[in-house]
Amino acid sequence: MTNFEEKLVLPNGIMIKNRFFKAAMSEGLADERNRPTEKLVRLYETWAKGGAGIVVTGNVMVDRRALGEPRNVVIEDEQDLELLKKWANSGTQNNTQLWMQINHPGKQVFKGIVKEAVAPSKIEFEPSLQKYFPIARELTEREIQDIIKRFGTTAGIAKKAGFTGVQIHAAHGYLISQFLSNRHNERADQWGGSIENRMRFLIEIYKSIRREVGEEYPISVKLNSADFMKAGFTEEDSMKVISRLNDLGIDLIEVSGGSYENPRMTGSAMKQSAQKREAYFLEFAAEANKVSKAPIVVTGGFRTRKGMLDALQSGDADMIGLARPMAVYPSLPDELMEGSREQVQLASRKTGIKWIDRTAMLELTWYSLQLERIAVGKAPKETLSPKLALLRSIFKNGMDVFQMRRV
Ligand SMILES: Cc1cc2nc3c(=O)[nH]c(=O)nc-3n(C[C@H](O)[C@H](O)[C@H](O)COP(=O)(O)O)c2cc1C
């Protein structure tokens, strides 16, 4: 029987101390020049002490012209190596694997954050989102090659700084996910068309990183099971990508789903009655596990000890991905292993202001504020007022940023 404490050996032989995987949460805690800060050092120290086998950072950007949010960390070269070392050092305490998530948002970045948004093709978002996004320009071949190289560079620096692995963010509608999706990729060259062509960008990024970090270093991919959009990325496509990544020696795959257009990753676009199991993507993960030699992590929705144990013991998931619960209970892995906690209850956060409550934005803002509390040495606060979270966010980021704050 698989239990939380059972060690996991990755295909490359690296041993993970248990089955808990703290999933990426964008921290928004870089300084105004997008460098890591003491706040990040403290936040990751707290998580490292909380017991998770693998902790993944929030998304780190490969290009400062392409931020997802104003306070993302950006790594283009080694100028912040010392700060990165401090961050890595704090997050690898307690035999914790600390993996850096690496990302490029492509066109999924709202107006005012970047000068010019780029994408595989010039295709607008669905109508209700169009007012928030600039119309993206189609990437040239040279630019595509440049981005591929940047992922490799950022990963190489992460390794040099002491991060023990990296994760490519290929989910949630960002650039790689845009390439993968038939809906957002209409290219007629080697980067578009068949799923083999649409996955080429991800595969080349993987190879570029592998060249930089060597065979022994863990590389994982966060991948959508599907984007749940008409003519979008399907489960069948996703399965093909998982197969190909396995052929190339991927070390771990995290399964998620959705994008800004249909934010299934946080369960907000799903009817509870339609949800057969606690975790949103478990059924797909079970299928993926049949074709994947690399361990499968499922993220999204886990809240009970029983639900997590079932997922491990059925063999459907090899690790349990946890994001929001870790913002409120940073030592949750230890508590679950000791048996001192059976479940976490995380109500959806509402202000009572209708137009705001329609979006899932407040929810994300509320969790970000919890991260900030931990980062300054305070305890997370379950009773934190949603209205206060809203005001803080507007004060910090301005109205547009609040409106479009997404995962
Ligand atoms: C505040 C916040 C920020 C997030 N940032 C990221 C991110 O940078 N990269 C990513 O892959 N997912 C991100 N996510 C999504 C989570 O990793 C996860 O997929 C999602 O929250 C569902 O898992 P949960 O039910 O355990 O929270 C974020 C989620 C939240 C709440």
Side-chain angles (χ1 to χ4, degrees):
M1 289 257 272
T2 306
N3 270 320
F4 298 139
E5 298 84 352
E6 195 176 313
K7 293 185 175 43
L8 179 73
V9 183
L10 300 182
N12 62 8
I14 286 176
M15 181 101 79
I16 311 297
K17 68 178 177 180
N18 63 44
R19 301 307 177 105
F20 288 109
F21 181 97
K22 184 255 148 208
M25 275 184 284
S26 190
E27 311 89 1
L29 293 175
D31 69 12
E32 67 289 349
R33 285 168 55 196
N34 305 99
R35 296 176 300 193
T37 56
E38 281 300 323
K39 287 184 178 174
L40 285 170
V41 172
R42 176 124 39 159
L43 176 60
Y44 282 83
E45 176 175 27
T46 309
W47 275 325
K49 288 180 175 164
I54 298 177
V55 170
V56 182
T57 69
N59 56 178
V60 167
M61 299 298 164
V62 298
D63 186 340
R64 62 180 67 251
R65 293 166 303 179
L67 293 178
E69 295 158 289
R71 296 280 178 139
N72 288 142
V73 173
V74 176
I75 304 178
E76 295 179 315
D77 53 40
E78 293 188 15
Q79 67 178 355
D80 301 325
L81 193 61
E82 291 314 307
L83 294 167
L84 288 166
K85 279 184 183 167
K86 264 186 111 173
W87 182 11
N89 205 21
S90 70
T92 49
Q93 294 174 54
N94 196 19
N95 193 20
T96 308
Q97 287 280 327
L98 178 65
W99 293 5
M100 180 185 286
Q101 187 184 65
I102 308 178
N103 194 20
H104 185 302
K107 67 181 171 183
Q108 196 165 260
V109 52
F110 36 97
K111 285 178 183 167
I113 300 286
V114 294
K115 268 199 185 136
E116 183 186 42
V118 290
S121 305
K122 192 177 164 184
I123 299 170
E124 288 195 63
F125 280 91
E126 56 107 354
S128 70
L129 293 178
Q130 283 172 10
K131 72 173 172 178
Y132 299 114
F133 294 96
I135 297 176
R137 175 175 64 72
E138 182 175 306
L139 284 162
T140 64
E141 173 71 28
R142 215 163 130 206
E143 288 171 323
I144 291 174
Q145 297 294 352
D146 174 62
I147 294 170
I148 291 169
K149 196 154 167 268
R150 282 171 179 271
F151 270 85
T153 304
T154 302
I157 296 168
K159 181 181 178 194
K160 194 165 177 184
F163 289 82
T164 50
V166 289
Q167 181 177 66
I168 304 169
H169 196 352
H172 301 176
Y174 293 111
L175 185 61
I176 301 175
S177 177
Q178 289 156 32
F179 268 93
L180 288 171
S181 166
N182 211 18
R183 181 187 176 91
H184 292 294
N185 180 352
E186 280 182 342
R187 298 183 74 98
D189 57 11
Q190 59 165 337
W191 308 103
S194 64
I195 181 61
E196 283 68 31
N197 279 357
R198 282 180 277 128
M199 75 167 89
R200 194 181 306 281
F201 184 59
L202 167 60
I203 298 303
E204 291 303 316
I205 285 174
Y206 171 80
K207 289 182 182 166
S208 157
I209 293 179
R210 187 56 86 200
R211 274 193 296 276
E212 286 292 326
V213 299
E215 290 302 317
E216 305 304 318
Y217 191 75
I219 305 178
S220 73
V221 167
K222 185 162 185 169
L223 188 68
N224 276 351
S225 53
D227 57 16
F228 306 100
M229 296 298 291
K230 209 169 161 202
F233 183 64
T234 64
E235 291 193 353
E236 203 188 330
D237 288 343
S238 188
M239 215 54 95
K240 287 186 181 155
V241 176
I242 290 172
S243 250
R244 179 91 175 100
L245 287 170
N246 266 278
D247 292 344
L248 292 169
I250 192 76
D251 296 294
L252 181 143
I253 293 170
E254 180 187 358
V255 171
S256 186
S259 70
Y260 284 25
E261 291 176 301
N262 191 346
R264 297 274 182 117
M265 60 291 232
T266 52
S268 43
M270 271 162 127
K271 279 202 189 107
Q272 216 138 38
S273 55
Q275 207 178 300
K276 291 196 207 104
R277 296 175 76 175
E278 182 173 320
Y280 319 138
F281 310 108
L282 207 47
E283 252 106 277
F284 175 82
E287 290 307 306
N289 231 331
K290 291 181 191 154
V291 302
S292 181
K293 197 170 129 240
I296 299 285
V297 180
V298 187
T299 300
F302 279 118
R303 298 296 179 264
T304 69
R305 188 165 197 279
K306 183 176 181 311
M308 297 177 207
L309 270 178
D310 282 352
L312 290 176
Q313 290 174 351
S314 61
D316 294 346
D318 298 301
M319 288 188 88
I320 303 299
L322 297 168
R324 286 166 291 179
M326 294 292 286
V328 185
Y329 305 95
S331 299
L332 185 59
D334 272 349
E335 292 166 9
L336 290 161
M337 283 186 285
E338 289 157 15
S340 61
R341 190 179 290 281
E342 286 300 316
Q343 61 176 324
V344 293
Q345 270 166 342
L346 299 172
S348 67
R349 311 288 151 179
K350 295 204 177 347
T351 56
I353 307 167
K354 246 194 192 158
W355 70 269
I356 288 173
D357 292 341
R358 267 207 317 265
T359 72
M361 291 307 89
L362 181 75
E363 175 111 349
L364 298 176
T365 306
W366 190 88
Y367 284 101
S368 300
L369 272 187
Q370 302 291 1
L371 301 189
E372 201 171 344
R373 287 181 68 87
I374 303 172
V376 297
K378 294 184 188 164
K381 194 173 170 188
E382 272 182 88
T383 54
L384 189 76
S385 148
K387 277 189 183 150
L388 189 69
L390 169 65
L391 286 174
R392 284 281 318 270
S393 179
I394 292 172
F395 180 69
K396 196 173 158 199
N397 298 319
M399 201 60 188
D400 285 349
V401 175
F402 167 73
Q403 283 179 336
M404 290 317 302
R405 181 87 221 275
R406 295 269 172 150
V407 282

PDB file of all heavy atoms in Angstrom, residues 306-320:
ATOM      1  N   LYS A 306      -8.244  11.377   3.318  1.00  0.00           N
ATOM      2  CA  LYS A 306      -8.775  10.165   2.697  1.00  0.00           C
ATOM      3  C   LYS A 306      -8.699  10.264   1.173  1.00  0.00           C
ATOM      4  O   LYS A 306      -8.261   9.319   0.500  1.00  0.00           O
ATOM      5  CB  LYS A 306     -10.232   9.949   3.155  1.00  0.00           C
ATOM      6  CG  LYS A 306     -10.817   8.688   2.600  1.00  0.00           C
ATOM      7  CD  LYS A 306     -12.211   8.411   3.117  1.00  0.00           C
ATOM      8  CE  LYS A 306     -12.771   7.112   2.556  1.00  0.00           C
ATOM      9  NZ  LYS A 306     -12.636   6.988   1.100  1.00  0.00           N
ATOM     10  N   GLY A 307      -9.114  11.415   0.648  1.00  0.00           N
ATOM     11  CA  GLY A 307      -9.067  11.604  -0.807  1.00  0.00           C
ATOM     12  C   GLY A 307      -7.642  11.450  -1.335  1.00  0.00           C
ATOM     13  O   GLY A 307      -7.409  10.852  -2.392  1.00  0.00           O
ATOM     14  N   MET A 308      -6.698  11.969  -0.577  1.00  0.00           N
ATOM     15  CA  MET A 308      -5.296  11.903  -1.012  1.00  0.00           C
ATOM     16  C   MET A 308      -4.774  10.471  -0.943  1.00  0.00           C
ATOM     17  O   MET A 308      -4.120   9.989  -1.862  1.00  0.00           O
ATOM     18  CB  MET A 308      -4.436  12.819  -0.124  1.00  0.00           C
ATOM     19  CG  MET A 308      -4.813  14.288  -0.236  1.00  0.00           C
ATOM     20  SD  MET A 308      -3.830  15.307   0.905  1.00  0.00           S
ATOM     21  CE  MET A 308      -4.940  16.673   1.189  1.00  0.00           C
ATOM     22  N   LEU A 309      -5.098   9.792   0.149  1.00  0.00           N
ATOM     23  CA  LEU A 309      -4.637   8.405   0.302  1.00  0.00           C
ATOM     24  C   LEU A 309      -5.239   7.502  -0.778  1.00  0.00           C
ATOM     25  O   LEU A 309      -4.551   6.670  -1.360  1.00  0.00           O
ATOM     26  CB  LEU A 309      -5.013   7.868   1.685  1.00  0.00           C
ATOM     27  CG  LEU A 309      -3.985   8.079   2.797  1.00  0.00           C
ATOM     28  CD1 LEU A 309      -4.506   7.533   4.110  1.00  0.00           C
ATOM     29  CD2 LEU A 309      -2.632   7.444   2.458  1.00  0.00           C
ATOM     30  N   ASP A 310      -6.533   7.713  -1.061  1.00  0.00           N
ATOM     31  CA  ASP A 310      -7.192   6.923  -2.111  1.00  0.00           C
ATOM     32  C   ASP A 310      -6.473   7.098  -3.446  1.00  0.00           C
ATOM     33  O   ASP A 310      -6.261   6.133  -4.169  1.00  0.00           O
ATOM     34  CB  ASP A 310      -8.658   7.377  -2.297  1.00  0.00           C
ATOM     35  CG  ASP A 310      -9.551   6.820  -1.206  1.00  0.00           C
ATOM     36  OD1 ASP A 310      -9.071   5.976  -0.417  1.00  0.00           O
ATOM     37  OD2 ASP A 310     -10.726   7.249  -1.146  1.00  0.00           O
ATOM     38  N   ALA A 311      -6.133   8.342  -3.742  1.00  0.00           N
ATOM     39  CA  ALA A 311      -5.478   8.617  -5.033  1.00  0.00           C
ATOM     40  C   ALA A 311      -4.130   7.903  -5.132  1.00  0.00           C
ATOM     41  O   ALA A 311      -3.764   7.383  -6.183  1.00  0.00           O
ATOM     42  CB  ALA A 311      -5.295  10.123  -5.220  1.00  0.00           C
ATOM     43  N   LEU A 312      -3.404   7.851  -4.016  1.00  0.00           N
ATOM     44  CA  LEU A 312      -2.102   7.170  -4.020  1.00  0.00           C
ATOM     45  C   LEU A 312      -2.285   5.659  -4.048  1.00  0.00           C
ATOM     46  O   LEU A 312      -1.635   4.945  -4.805  1.00  0.00           O
ATOM     47  CB  LEU A 312      -1.288   7.557  -2.778  1.00  0.00           C
ATOM     48  CG  LEU A 312      -0.752   8.990  -2.705  1.00  0.00           C
ATOM     49  CD1 LEU A 312      -0.056   9.224  -1.366  1.00  0.00           C
ATOM     50  CD2 LEU A 312       0.212   9.286  -3.842  1.00  0.00           C
ATOM     51  N   GLN A 313      -3.205   5.187  -3.210  1.00  0.00           N
ATOM     52  CA  GLN A 313      -3.338   3.732  -3.066  1.00  0.00           C
ATOM     53  C   GLN A 313      -3.957   3.075  -4.292  1.00  0.00           C
ATOM     54  O   GLN A 313      -3.671   1.921  -4.594  1.00  0.00           O
ATOM     55  CB  GLN A 313      -4.119   3.415  -1.786  1.00  0.00           C
ATOM     56  CG  GLN A 313      -3.268   3.750  -0.566  1.00  0.00           C
ATOM     57  CD  GLN A 313      -3.997   3.618   0.756  1.00  0.00           C
ATOM     58  OE1 GLN A 313      -5.211   3.437   0.799  1.00  0.00           O
ATOM     59  NE2 GLN A 313      -3.259   3.731   1.842  1.00  0.00           N
ATOM     60  N   SER A 314      -4.770   3.833  -5.032  1.00  0.00           N
ATOM     61  CA  SER A 314      -5.339   3.274  -6.267  1.00  0.00           C
ATOM     62  C   SER A 314      -4.283   3.266  -7.372  1.00  0.00           C
ATOM     63  O   SER A 314      -4.491   2.664  -8.427  1.00  0.00           O
ATOM     64  CB  SER A 314      -6.524   4.140  -6.718  1.00  0.00           C
ATOM     65  OG  SER A 314      -6.062   5.461  -6.971  1.00  0.00           O
ATOM     66  N   GLY A 315      -3.183   3.964  -7.136  1.00  0.00           N
ATOM     67  CA  GLY A 315      -2.136   4.042  -8.163  1.00  0.00           C
ATOM     68  C   GLY A 315      -2.455   5.092  -9.221  1.00  0.00           C
ATOM     69  O   GLY A 315      -1.736   5.244 -10.194  1.00  0.00           O
ATOM     70  N   ASP A 316      -3.524   5.852  -9.038  1.00  0.00           N
ATOM     71  CA  ASP A 316      -3.892   6.860 -10.039  1.00  0.00           C
ATOM     72  C   ASP A 316      -2.927   8.040 -10.020  1.00  0.00           C
ATOM     73  O   ASP A 316      -2.676   8.674 -11.040  1.00  0.00           O
ATOM     74  CB  ASP A 316      -5.326   7.367  -9.785  1.00  0.00           C
ATOM     75  CG  ASP A 316      -6.346   6.253 -10.000  1.00  0.00           C
ATOM     76  OD1 ASP A 316      -5.962   5.226 -10.588  1.00  0.00           O
ATOM     77  OD2 ASP A 316      -7.506   6.409  -9.568  1.00  0.00           O
ATOM     78  N   ALA A 317      -2.413   8.359  -8.836  1.00  0.00           N
ATOM     79  CA  ALA A 317      -1.441   9.449  -8.721  1.00  0.00           C
ATOM     80  C   ALA A 317      -0.229   8.930  -7.951  1.00  0.00           C
ATOM     81  O   ALA A 317      -0.372   8.106  -7.045  1.00  0.00           O
ATOM     82  CB  ALA A 317      -2.056  10.622  -7.969  1.00  0.00           C
ATOM     83  N   ASP A 318       0.943   9.423  -8.329  1.00  0.00           N
ATOM     84  CA  ASP A 318       2.165   9.050  -7.596  1.00  0.00           C
ATOM     85  C   ASP A 318       2.495  10.070  -6.515  1.00  0.00           C
ATOM     86  O   ASP A 318       3.197   9.763  -5.556  1.00  0.00           O
ATOM     87  CB  ASP A 318       3.343   8.940  -8.562  1.00  0.00           C
ATOM     88  CG  ASP A 318       3.094   7.843  -9.594  1.00  0.00           C
ATOM     89  OD1 ASP A 318       2.902   6.690  -9.178  1.00  0.00           O
ATOM     90  OD2 ASP A 318       3.055   8.165 -10.797  1.00  0.00           O
ATOM     91  N   MET A 319       2.036  11.304  -6.728  1.00  0.00           N
ATOM     92  CA  MET A 319       2.222  12.346  -5.707  1.00  0.00           C
ATOM     93  C   MET A 319       0.957  13.194  -5.658  1.00  0.00           C
ATOM     94  O   MET A 319       0.223  13.298  -6.637  1.00  0.00           O
ATOM     95  CB  MET A 319       3.427  13.243  -6.027  1.00  0.00           C
ATOM     96  CG  MET A 319       4.770  12.585  -5.843  1.00  0.00           C
ATOM     97  SD  MET A 319       6.137  13.788  -6.004  1.00  0.00           S
ATOM     98  CE  MET A 319       6.298  14.421  -4.331  1.00  0.00           C
ATOM     99  N   ILE A 320       0.770  13.856  -4.514  1.00  0.00           N
ATOM    100  CA  ILE A 320      -0.398  14.693  -4.295  1.00  0.00           C
ATOM    101  C   ILE A 320       0.008  16.162  -4.430  1.00  0.00           C
ATOM    102  O   ILE A 320       0.815  16.663  -3.640  1.00  0.00           O
ATOM    103  CB  ILE A 320      -0.969  14.467  -2.872  1.00  0.00           C
ATOM    104  CG1 ILE A 320      -1.318  12.986  -2.656  1.00  0.00           C
ATOM    105  CG2 ILE A 320      -2.159  15.380  -2.588  1.00  0.00           C
ATOM    106  CD1 ILE A 320      -2.377  12.443  -3.595  1.00  0.00           C
TER     107      ILE A 320
END
